[in-house]
Amino acid sequence: MTVLKHFPGKGSAGKDTHFDLADVTDLHQERELYPFSRLIREGLADLIMTSHIIHRGWMKNTRLPSRPRSSGAAEEKIGLPGLIISDDLLMGAIVKQFSLEEACVLAVQAGVDILLASNNSPEGTIPPFPPVYETLLKAVEQGRIPRSPSSRPMPASRP
């Protein structure tokens, strides 16, 4: 399977999201969407990995960067295929603002299907994952995230 990253492009980010959040509101260029739109149009994109950037013109709620399905301009222009995977939720752009548990709930609320957390944090540590699992279950019970996935299309398989 192919994973296109980092949606919607971070060529203009100007910051390393391993350490800080990047706001591309005034910097993002339309041409950064071209590789995504072309590969999606040609049926060559199975998954999209988000980028830890925000663009205030595209997002209704900029609380969590990388809101892939938040009625933003970029995804409306090109359409997103199948599954969405987060970039590492232990990067500085995230951990400086949120606990891993809160970031995971916010990412699921934003339409992320696969949550990625590795040893990529500025501190170089991985928090225990049982609290994340329990937090997600509680968020489902509270109705903060849906019990079942939305009816988004799954990626088409290729030979």
Side-chain angles (χ1 to χ4, degrees):
M1 296 183 85
T2 59
V3 179
L4 306 182
K5 61 182 217 178
H6 293 90
F7 182 80
K10 55 193 285 187
S12 57
K15 284 189 180 179
D16 183 346
T17 56
H18 289 91
F19 303 102
D20 290 301
L21 178 63
D23 184 339
V24 299
T25 303
D26 298 323
L27 303 171
H28 194 270
Q29 300 174 32
E30 192 73 20
R31 67 182 178 188
E32 292 178 57
L33 295 175
Y34 177 73
F36 297 101
S37 63
R38 179 172 178 194
L39 292 168
I40 290 168
R41 188 174 54 251
E42 292 178 11
L44 299 174
D46 298 308
L47 292 98
I48 296 279
M49 177 181 275
T50 61
S51 175
H52 295 320
I53 62 170
I54 60 171
H55 188 300
R56 297 183 193 288
W58 294 343
M59 304 170 182
K60 289 181 182 177
N61 178 348
T62 57
R63 190 156 180 243
L64 180 71
S66 314
R67 294 183 61 88
R69 298 188 195 281
S70 61
S71 66
E75 57 270 18
E76 288 175 3
K77 287 180 183 178
I78 66 171
L80 295 179
L83 299 174
I84 304 295
I85 185 170
S86 72
D87 199 351
D88 191 342
L89 293 171
L90 290 175
M91 291 170 64
I94 303 300
V95 299
K96 288 182 178 180
Q97 301 180 73
F98 308 105
S99 68
L100 178 60
E101 293 85 358
E102 184 179 8
C104 287
V105 170
L106 290 169
V108 172
Q109 288 174 338
V112 172
D113 302 296
I114 302 170
L115 304 171
L116 174 64
S118 70
N119 195 14
N120 205 8
S121 72
E123 296 80 29
T125 59
I126 300 176
F129 281 89
V132 170
Y133 176 75
E134 295 299 325
T135 299
L136 290 171
L137 284 179
K138 187 175 182 179
V140 169
E141 291 168 0
Q142 295 171 339
R144 293 175 60 206
I145 57 177
R147 182 168 298 279
S148 60
S150 68
S151 58
R152 291 192 302 264
M154 294 298 289
S157 18
R158 293 192 305 271

